């Protein structure tokens, strides 16, 4: 035993209260359920994009989540709306992928029965006619028009302004705010379960996408992400239910099929058990400098 060890033990003997506090702290650290959150086991899909099938152990009411980490300094985001592209009808997500060539596509926010988008929607710096929704206060934005700003982020319109006359980002889509920077879950605990697509902004500036493998409660998802994935500082929910959809380009699907759990994620992502419904608006992701994607 070193002299330092002896001095430490003497302090504990002479200061019993300190010893009790330290012992209690040590016991707390090993209590069941007090383990640190377990991060997704990432597998590389491509430079700047990773994928995992994340099963958060601390969330009993949340199914495994297909989870994709995107570095927006390497990937650009593009909003597509069928009327802006002079299409007679919305496309399903597979048709959108074939049309645009994006590496990854996911559903955008909510829309009316006539396919009018509910909320702000911008593509290539132009408003596509939507008005700011009064209560759905999440806004995913990408491709800044002002230098020194993040390449992609989530605006919380309850505390931040988005200048619609001089938009600070060229691409934007409004939907439900799920989790704010204070850790507050911004949806009610209704008990309703459905498939969900979640977009999160991380502390390191990366964007993370979550796609449920089974129906789940939005409230449970928000709470789970807050507790088990603390790097996510804000999150918003895109349209859920049958509109919740996400697809990889065939080349990335083949890459995913070669790697461990990523293979399972890709298989779940590309399942067509309930079919793909037409989506009026989607968000595509492609490598910066890739001329193939439109």
């Amino acid at each position: 035993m070193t002299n330092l060890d002896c001095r430490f033990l003497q302090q504990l003997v002479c200061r019993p209260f300190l010893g009790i506090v330290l012992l209690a702290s040590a016991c707390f650290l090993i209590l069941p359920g007090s383990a640190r959150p377990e991060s997704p086991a990432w597998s590389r899909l491509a430079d700047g994009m990773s994928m995992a099938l994340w099963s958060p152990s601390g969330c009993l009411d949340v199914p495994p989540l297909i989870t994709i980490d995107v570095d927006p300094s390497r990937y650009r985001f593009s909003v597509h709306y069928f009327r802006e592209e002079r299409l007679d009808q919305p496309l399903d997500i597979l048709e959108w992928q074939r049309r645009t060539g994006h590496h990854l596509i996911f559903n955008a926010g909510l829309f009316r029965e006539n396919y009018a988008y509910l909320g702000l929607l911008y593509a290539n710096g132009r408003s596509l006619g939507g008005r700011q929704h009064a209560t759905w206060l999440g806004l995913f934005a990408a491709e800044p028009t002002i230098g020194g700003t993040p390449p992609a982020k989530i605006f919380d319109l309850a505390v931040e302004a988005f200048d619609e006359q001089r938009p600070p980002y060229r691409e934007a889509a409004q939907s439900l705010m799920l989790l704010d920077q204070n850790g507050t879950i911004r949806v009610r605990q209704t008990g309703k379960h459905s498939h969900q697509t979640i977009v999160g902004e991380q502390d390191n500036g990366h964007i993370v996408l979550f796609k449920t493998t089974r129906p789940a409660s939005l409230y449970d998802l928000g709470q789970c992400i807050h507790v088990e994935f603390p790097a996510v500082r804000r999150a918003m929910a895109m349209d859920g239910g049958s509109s919740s959809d996400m697809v990889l380009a065939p080349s990335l699907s083949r890459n995913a099929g070669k790697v461990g759990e990523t293979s399972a994620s890709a298989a779940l992502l590309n399942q067509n058990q309930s079919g793909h419904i037409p989506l009026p608006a989607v968000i595509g992701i492609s490598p910066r400098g890739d001329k193939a994607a439109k």
Side-chain angles (χ1 to χ4, degrees):
M1 182 180 292
T2 66
N3 291 335
L4 181 61
D5 294 330
C6 290
R7 288 197 297 272
F8 181 72
L9 289 176
Q10 287 171 356
Q11 287 178 347
L12 289 185
V13 172
C14 297
R15 300 180 185 178
F17 177 75
L18 175 62
I20 292 170
V21 169
L22 291 174
L23 180 61
S25 299
C27 292
F28 175 78
L29 291 175
I30 61 175
L31 282 174
S34 65
R36 296 178 63 182
E38 185 176 348
S39 299
W42 298 112
S43 296
R44 177 183 172 277
L45 277 179
D47 289 341
M49 184 181 292
S50 299
M51 187 176 190
L53 183 61
W54 182 45
S55 300
S57 57
C59 307
L60 299 180
D61 297 323
V62 171
L65 301 172
I66 299 165
T67 308
I68 299 178
D69 178 285
V70 181
D71 180 354
S73 70
R74 291 176 175 266
Y75 280 83
R76 60 185 174 89
F77 294 79
S78 302
V79 169
H80 296 273
Y81 183 55
F82 83 105
R83 288 188 176 128
E84 177 68 9
E85 305 205 6
R86 299 179 181 178
L87 296 170
D88 293 332
Q89 296 292 329
L91 306 177
D92 70 35
I93 202 162
L94 298 176
E95 293 169 328
W96 274 118
Q97 196 284 318
R98 286 191 289 266
R99 178 181 175 86
T100 63
H102 287 301
H103 277 202
L104 173 68
I105 287 187
F106 62 98
N107 61 293
L110 299 100
F111 50 90
R112 300 183 189 277
E113 290 183 1
N114 65 355
Y115 297 126
Y117 194 83
L118 286 170
L120 296 176
L121 191 68
Y122 283 77
N124 200 27
R126 293 182 60 248
S127 171
L128 302 185
R131 296 181 179 180
Q132 181 171 323
H133 197 281
T135 55
W136 299 339
L137 298 178
L139 182 75
F140 175 72
E143 312 313 313
T145 59
I146 302 170
T149 53
K153 66 167 289 183
I154 291 174
F155 280 82
D156 180 357
L157 298 176
V159 296
E160 292 178 290
F162 182 87
D163 189 341
E164 298 180 44
Q165 303 305 314
R166 296 181 179 179
Y169 285 84
R170 290 190 290 275
E171 313 291 324
Q174 185 178 3
S175 195
L176 292 164
M177 196 71 188
L178 175 63
L179 176 67
D180 66 24
Q181 197 146 345
N182 297 321
T184 303
I185 312 301
R186 295 271 288 274
V187 296
R188 295 178 181 177
Q189 194 169 11
T190 63
K192 181 180 178 181
H193 287 62
S194 59
H195 279 286
Q196 304 291 346
T197 304
I198 308 296
V199 181
E201 176 189 348
Q202 300 182 70
D203 289 333
N204 63 1
H206 285 203
I207 300 300
V208 60
L209 306 172
F210 302 95
K211 174 73 178 72
T212 54
T213 56
R214 295 193 305 274
S217 150
L218 263 181
Y219 186 92
D220 290 341
L221 284 166
Q223 189 172 52
C224 179
I225 292 169
H226 173 57
V227 173
E228 297 294 321
F229 203 145
V232 175
R233 59 185 175 191
R234 286 180 177 176
M236 56 185 285
M238 310 311 280
D239 199 4
S242 58
S243 298
S244 173
D245 221 342
M246 189 184 299
V247 71
L248 291 171
S251 58
L252 263 68
S253 293
R254 288 192 291 272
N255 289 347
K258 299 174 184 177
V259 185
E261 285 196 0
T262 305
S263 176
S265 301
L268 289 167
L269 194 60
N270 293 332
Q271 279 180 354
N272 192 18
Q273 294 177 350
S274 59
H276 298 285
I277 72 165
L279 298 172
V282 295
I283 299 173
I285 304 174
S286 287
R288 295 191 179 278
D290 185 354
K291 303 300 183 183
K294 300 176 185 177

